[in-house]
């Protein structure tokens, strides 16, 4: 009998706040202590302070999840062709050791470019298929989609609307996902709609039309997490906001405490709009 892949926590934002604590607690609660957590540095690997970004997350885990006695190590898979190359065995080693791997803020397209086809990513996939637990927040959640939203390129640089091929973590399980964190972002205030991960509803509607019709959009509000449990075949919503599943102009929304079948991410049968 083949075991199910490990559960995955997808976090819209707030990985070092209450929502993150809830997501990690749900993800790790059945593991023996101490829990071994590896933090993947790739999403912010282009930043001079990439190590500091990862270590702040490690500090959060140790200080706010003491019941798990977190043993934290780092995966410095920052850039191809350097001492931090994701193909270097010493870089990959913490993935072999971990009970759970986390990746978070940074650039989704950078993460895709640096990890696609590498030893780090391949080993993570192999271990996940054997039960390794995964947590992806913000940029990393986008990067593991089938179609990844190039946030910086569109929002900061003004590139033409497009999607890029993501790492497609769930593709082998027959999911075709575009994961969109920061779904309800309001940083733009009254003057600028920054919902839908800074795209705004009008621009995001145009982006949706560029996706193949079989694509399912998984929108995750800020300070909200969606826990995918493949052994049980269900997803749970944690945190302050809502998880939205949208496909072909139809959608479902689920708030904290709600549970829905993972099969819903493959087919939608409702008439609510995006």
């Amino acid at each position: 009998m083949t075991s199910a892949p490990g559960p995955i926590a997808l976090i819209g934002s707030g990985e070092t706040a209450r929502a993150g604590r809830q997501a990690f607690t749900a993800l790790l609660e059945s593991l023996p202590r101490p829990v071994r957590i590896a933090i993947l540095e790739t999403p912010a690997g282009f930043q001079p302070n990439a190590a500091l970004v990862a270590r702040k997350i490690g500090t959060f885990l140790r200080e706010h999840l003491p019941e798990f006695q977190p043993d934290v190590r780092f995966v410095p898979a920052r850039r191809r062709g350097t001492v931090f190359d994701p193909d270097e065995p010493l870089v990959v080693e913490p993935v072999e050791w971990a009970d759970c791997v986390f990746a978070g803020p940074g650039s989704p397209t950078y993460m895709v470019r640096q990890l696609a086809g590498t030893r780090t990513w391949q080993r993570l996939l192999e271990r996940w298929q054997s039960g390794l637990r995964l947590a992806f927040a913000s940029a990393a959640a986008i990067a593991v989609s089938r179609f990844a939203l190039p946030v910086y390129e569109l929002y900061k640089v003004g590139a033409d609307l497009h999607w890029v091929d993501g790492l497609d973590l769930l593709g082998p399980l027959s999911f075709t996902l575009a994961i969109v964190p920061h779904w309800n972002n309001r940083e733009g205030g009254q003057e600028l709609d920054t919902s839908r991960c800074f795209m705004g509803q009008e621009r995001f509607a145009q982006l949706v039309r560029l996706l193949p019709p079989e694509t399912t959009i998984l929108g995750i509000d800020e300070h909200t997490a969606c826990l995918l449990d493949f052994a049980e075949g269900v997803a749970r919503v944690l945190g302050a906001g809502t998880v939205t599943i949208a496909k072909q102009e139809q959608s479902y929304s689920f708030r904290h405490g709600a549970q829905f079948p993972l099969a819903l991410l493959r087919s939608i049968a409702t008439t609510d709009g995006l």
Side-chain angles (χ1 to χ4, degrees):
M1 180 176 179
T2 303
S3 61
I8 299 173
L10 300 170
I11 306 170
S13 79
E15 62 273 9
T16 58
R18 183 179 180 183
R21 192 183 192 287
Q22 291 177 335
F24 280 110
T25 297
L27 190 65
L28 305 176
E29 57 188 353
S30 64
L31 291 174
R33 279 54 161 174
V35 176
R36 297 178 295 188
I37 305 173
I39 298 174
L40 184 63
E41 297 182 6
T42 316
F46 62 97
Q47 298 177 194
N49 67 340
L52 178 61
V53 171
R55 276 150 184 76
K56 283 184 176 180
I57 295 167
T59 298
F60 168 80
L61 295 172
R62 294 187 188 99
E63 292 181 352
H64 295 273
L65 295 162
E67 65 272 30
F68 296 107
Q69 303 170 31
D71 185 1
V72 179
R73 292 177 61 182
F74 302 92
V75 186
R78 298 178 198 162
R79 185 183 291 271
R80 297 174 188 262
T82 71
V83 293
F84 303 115
D85 194 314
D87 280 319
E88 285 291 332
L90 286 178
V91 170
V92 181
E93 197 277 330
V95 175
E96 303 280 0
W97 161 89
D99 300 313
C100 174
V101 173
F102 169 80
S107 164
T109 52
Y110 183 86
M111 179 172 170
V112 172
R113 290 197 310 273
Q114 299 305 320
L115 282 188
T118 65
R119 184 179 301 185
T120 293
W121 183 247
Q122 186 58 40
R123 193 62 188 123
L124 184 148
L125 289 178
E126 292 168 353
R127 293 220 51 229
W128 167 65
Q129 290 161 2
S130 299
L132 176 70
R133 294 162 193 236
L134 302 175
F136 298 111
S138 191
I142 296 173
V144 300
S145 303
R146 168 63 184 90
F147 298 104
L149 185 66
V151 181
Y152 288 138
E153 293 86 342
L154 299 180
Y155 182 57
K156 295 292 188 181
V157 182
D160 292 340
L161 297 184
H162 67 287
W163 300 81
V164 301
D165 288 336
L167 293 167
D168 198 19
L169 173 66
L170 297 176
L173 300 183
S174 301
F175 295 96
T176 304
L177 293 179
I179 302 166
V180 184
H182 303 285
W183 185 256
N184 66 335
N185 182 274
R186 297 183 178 88
E187 288 183 18
Q190 297 292 327
E191 297 179 352
L192 178 65
D193 180 6
T194 52
S195 66
R196 311 301 187 261
C197 200
F198 305 97
M199 296 298 102
Q201 294 190 49
E202 181 179 348
R203 183 162 50 175
F204 190 75
Q206 298 175 52
L207 281 161
V208 169
R209 290 194 284 271
L210 300 178
L211 290 169
E214 68 272 16
T215 307
T216 297
I217 296 163
L218 178 58
I220 306 172
D221 281 357
E222 299 197 322
H223 294 276
T224 305
C226 185
L227 183 69
L228 310 181
D229 186 331
F230 300 96
E232 298 294 330
V234 298
R236 294 164 53 198
V237 180
L238 306 167
T242 296
V243 166
T244 299
I245 305 170
K247 182 177 180 180
Q248 297 178 342
E249 299 183 354
Q250 300 173 325
S251 73
Y252 284 132
S253 292
F254 300 92
R255 296 194 62 80
H256 173 80
Q259 182 172 292
F260 60 86
L262 288 178
L264 195 59
L265 293 174
R266 295 190 179 100
S267 61
I268 307 297
T270 182
T271 57
D272 297 333
L274 282 177

